[in-house]
Amino acid sequence: MELNATKRNLAAVPPVVVTLYYESLCPGCRYFITQQLFPTWTLLKDIMIVNLVPFGNAEEVPSENSPFSCQHGQPECHANMIEACILHNVAHTAFQVINCMESAADILLAAQPCLQLYAPSTSWAVIDSCVKGGQGLKIMHINGAMTRALSPAHTHVPWVTFNGEYTEEFEGKAMSSLFNLVCQLYKGGTPSACTGAQVKLDRSLCLKDF
């Protein structure tokens, strides 16, 4: 789901496209979303686009009960699909809803209140129908295909690409200060917001099972 900047000079150079491949209950993913990605996007939304792909280390499995198997169990599969449906059905405030959920102690319990708070024009019935119907399955299948198509293949989440490219150098800088990295990658004039000092944050990863 592409989260477009709300105010951007169309004549300016292209924005920095940051794509996060993640899973909803991974502690490292939650930390990156709430402490790096969302705050950076809030400050730099004029020069960056965020794409969120909830799937992570999940696998598609032939099963009547659930077509997906997730690293942190079925609650994660459920939360992944809720977030995918929110990204698909909520227009301009989907990222706020996702950040609200990922910031909560219980992501699943927070889903409906976060939607009501940040996207009151979208009823929970719309999201629930997506999750329980075919739409959610189709979205998750697409997310799985996108994740499996990564080159190089992901070995952990959060997995972040910049303008479609992954490098260990980018990852290291993103986990240390995504804000500074986006400012460095932007090819246009330096925005006034790009004056923050780098803050070293702890990082954790959820390794992919092989």
Side-chain angles (χ1 to χ4, degrees):
M1 173 64 188
E2 183 177 287
L3 303 167
N4 291 298
T6 55
K7 298 177 182 178
R8 186 185 301 126
N9 182 353
L10 296 178
V13 299
V16 179
V17 180
V18 180
T19 303
L20 173 65
Y21 298 83
Y22 74 103
E23 55 195 25
S24 59
L25 298 188
C26 167
C29 297
R30 298 180 69 180
Y31 190 82
F32 182 73
I33 290 170
T34 61
Q35 302 300 313
Q36 290 277 11
L37 188 57
F38 186 78
T40 297
W41 177 78
T42 299
L43 292 171
L44 300 179
K45 62 178 66 177
D46 289 348
I47 65 167
M48 71 183 292
I49 289 174
V50 171
N51 298 321
L52 298 177
V53 185
F55 191 84
N57 297 331
E59 295 181 357
E60 294 193 57
V61 294
S63 170
E64 293 183 0
N65 296 326
S66 174
F68 303 102
S69 174
C70 297
Q71 186 170 19
H72 300 93
Q74 284 307 307
E76 180 167 79
C77 288
H78 189 198
N80 283 348
M81 191 173 293
I82 289 175
E83 294 191 359
C85 286
I86 288 171
L87 290 164
H88 184 78
N89 288 283
V90 175
H92 302 298
T93 58
F95 199 5
Q96 287 90 329
V97 179
I98 301 301
N99 180 67
C100 176
M101 291 174 61
E102 294 292 336
S103 301
D106 190 315
I107 290 177
L108 290 173
L109 288 179
Q112 188 169 353
C114 287
L115 182 72
Q116 292 174 340
L117 178 63
Y118 290 103
S121 62
T122 302
S123 71
W124 178 252
V126 171
I127 305 302
D128 193 48
S129 176
C130 172
V131 170
K132 294 178 179 178
Q135 186 183 56
L137 293 176
K138 290 179 181 178
I139 297 169
M140 290 306 299
H141 176 73
I142 292 172
N143 286 356
M146 291 174 60
T147 303
R148 289 189 296 273
L150 284 167
S151 181
H154 85 287
T155 58
H156 56 265
V157 288
W159 187 268
V160 193
T161 66
F162 295 87
N163 299 323
E165 180 182 3
Y166 168 86
T167 69
E168 291 185 1
E169 180 183 3
F170 282 167
E171 180 181 78
K173 290 181 177 180
M175 298 303 164
S176 175
S177 178
L178 177 65
F179 180 91
N180 284 353
L181 178 58
V182 172
C183 287
Q184 292 168 9
L185 291 176
Y186 183 61
K187 302 301 183 182
T190 303
S192 58
C194 290
T195 57
Q198 181 170 341
V199 178
K200 180 67 176 178
L201 298 176
D202 292 333
R203 59 178 296 195
S204 59
L205 305 171
C206 289
L207 298 177
K208 181 180 179 183
D209 295 328
F210 291 97

